[in-house]
């Protein structure tokens, strides 16, 4: 039996993560482990795994996605009850080989999203989608703001953070209600590419998680994936339809950020600023510290701020579901702009 240690050589990490099945350490296996070692899943220094250093255990509601051991416990792969992390998970673990390769993992046939909606994804993708879906949904936002006046500051409202790595929620769009969807508007469901590109690993290397660029450029004849564009519509209203859809989404998200700031100052009455760290929205003009977190939320402001963060936390939204991203951004901008007297100057909505 091999001794498990967190900080081991490549061969040691191989044995620690995958056990004696890899004891022979073939060149092919070592290549796979090296790819894994380069990924965020293996980065034991990442805040994803060090956040709970000094504590006795990782909270159960975090352990499923921040520890391979917690993932296996949640799905009952380790023999425990399915649907919960039933034993303490000690901080320091990573997303190891067994997270994807342990017997029983491939049998996971459905994934429940934060909205409570469940999908049955293609074979081999449930593992990825279980964690890369965020922690909140548009339904949570709707529940928090329903029956409240849209533009009145409510001291009981707090920013609802979709968390990180929301790719699966973007991919499935309105089928899982990852974003806040405005009543009376239509939204795209699961983004369908082509049959041969239907799973996460059709585009991402399964071990390094990097995008396999050559699989895209075989059809999309571009040097930069961000330049891919298959629609002739102008979504951001700048009159330029030669840029990639990535640029259109980035421009719309930047416009939403400006619209949020204008609305906060002119309707909520307290300026707002965004910073890419918890708690994300702060009082404008003050230090961006937790003590100065923004608290003058109106329902309309909260909805739009959630959608801004939802798109900002999926750097691949332009590939995962570009039309869903554009729809959320369009509607968020329009809603706040109308209330604050700002000219939205938007292009076409898909």
């Amino acid at each position: 039996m091999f001794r498990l240690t967190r900080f081991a050589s490549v061969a040691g990490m191989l044995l620690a993560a995958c056990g004696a099945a890899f004891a022979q350490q073939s060149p092919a296996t070592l290549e796979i482990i090296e790819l894994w070692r380069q990924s965020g899943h293996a980065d034991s220094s990442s805040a994803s795994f060090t956040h709970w250093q000094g504590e006795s255990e990782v909270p159960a509601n975090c352990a499923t996605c921040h520890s391979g051991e917690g993932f296996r416990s949640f799905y009952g792969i380790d023999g425990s009850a399915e649907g919960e992390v039933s034993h303490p998970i000690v901080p320091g673990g990573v997303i190891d080989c067994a997270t994807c390769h342990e017997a029983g993992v491939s049998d996971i046939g459905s994934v429940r999203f934060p909205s409570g909606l469940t999908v049955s994804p293609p074979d081999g993708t449930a593992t990825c989608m279980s964690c890369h879906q965020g922690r909140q949904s548009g339904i949570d936002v709707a529940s928090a703001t329903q029956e409240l006046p849209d533009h009145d500051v409510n001291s009981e409202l707090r920013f609802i953070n979709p968390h990180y790595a929301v790719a699966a929620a973007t991919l499935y769009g309105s089928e899982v209600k990852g974003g806040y969807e405005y009543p009376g508007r239509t939204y795209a469901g699961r983004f369908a590419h082509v049959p041969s590109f239907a799973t996460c690993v059709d585009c991402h290397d399964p071990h390094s998680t990097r995008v396999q660029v050559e699989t895209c450029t075989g059809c999309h004849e571009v040097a930069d994936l961000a330049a891919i564009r298959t629609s002739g519509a102008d979504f951001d209203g700048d009159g330029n339809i030669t840029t990639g859809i990535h640029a259109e989404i980035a421009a719309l998200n930047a416009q939403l950020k400006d619209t949020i700031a204008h609305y906060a100052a002119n309707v909520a009455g307290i300026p707002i600023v965004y910073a890419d760290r918890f708690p994300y929205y702060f009082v404008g003009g003050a230090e961006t510290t937790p003590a100065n977190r923004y608290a003058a939320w109106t329902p309309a402001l909260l909805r739009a701020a959630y959608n801004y963060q939802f798109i900002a936390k999926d750097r691949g939204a332009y590939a995962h579901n570009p039309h869903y991203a554009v729809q959320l951004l369009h509607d968020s901008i329009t809603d706040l702009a109308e209330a604050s007297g700002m000219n939205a100057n938007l292009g076409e909505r898909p």
Side-chain angles (χ1 to χ4, degrees), residues 25-268:
Q25 302 180 33
S26 69
T29 296
L30 288 176
E31 182 180 356
I32 288 172
I33 291 301
E34 179 58 23
L35 289 170
W36 168 80
R37 191 187 65 79
Q38 296 169 13
S39 76
H41 288 162
D43 185 2
S44 60
S45 66
S46 166
S48 298
F49 307 117
T50 63
H51 183 78
W52 301 276
Q53 279 186 346
E55 300 181 26
S56 61
E57 62 184 272
V58 180
N61 63 340
C62 303
T64 299
C65 294
H66 291 273
S67 161
E69 184 183 1
F71 181 90
R72 293 187 289 278
S73 177
F74 180 83
Y75 277 107
I77 304 300
D78 60 358
S80 62
E82 186 175 352
E84 62 179 354
V85 178
S86 56
H87 62 272
I89 304 299
V90 177
V94 296
I95 306 304
D96 53 23
C97 302
T99 307
C100 297
H101 296 291
E102 188 83 354
V105 171
S106 61
D107 295 331
I108 301 172
S110 64
V111 176
R112 187 175 188 271
F113 281 74
S115 60
L117 297 168
T118 300
V119 301
S120 298
D123 290 345
T125 59
T127 313
C128 308
M129 292 182 180
S130 293
C131 292
H132 292 269
Q133 56 167 261
R135 289 285 304 279
Q136 302 284 350
S137 73
I139 289 178
D140 296 310
V141 178
S143 296
T145 59
Q146 64 183 351
E147 299 181 1
L148 297 176
D150 286 343
H151 306 297
D152 289 356
V153 173
N154 189 306
S155 61
E156 295 184 3
L157 290 177
R158 297 290 184 272
F159 175 58
I160 296 174
N161 182 31
H163 206 55
Y164 314 102
V166 299
T170 310
L171 176 69
Y172 274 86
S174 193
E175 292 183 29
V176 299
K177 308 293 183 187
Y180 175 78
E181 300 178 5
Y182 289 82
R185 308 295 287 171
T186 58
Y187 294 89
R190 186 186 188 281
F191 179 58
H193 201 165
V194 293
S196 57
F197 289 89
T199 72
C200 304
V201 297
D202 288 333
C203 297
H204 294 267
D205 181 273
H207 299 106
S208 71
T209 72
R210 290 192 296 266
V211 175
Q212 301 180 97
V213 176
E214 65 279 1
T215 66
C216 304
T217 56
C219 293
H220 299 284
E221 297 178 353
V222 295
D224 181 0
L225 299 187
I228 293 174
R229 185 190 188 100
T230 59
S231 173
D234 174 22
F235 298 123
D236 62 5
D238 67 354
N240 185 356
I241 59 172
T242 65
T243 58
I245 191 65
H246 176 277
E248 297 268 325
I249 292 172
L252 286 169
N253 216 24
Q255 184 175 351
L256 176 55
K257 185 178 182 180
D258 292 342
T259 308
I260 286 171
H262 185 270
Y263 176 97
N266 291 279
V267 178

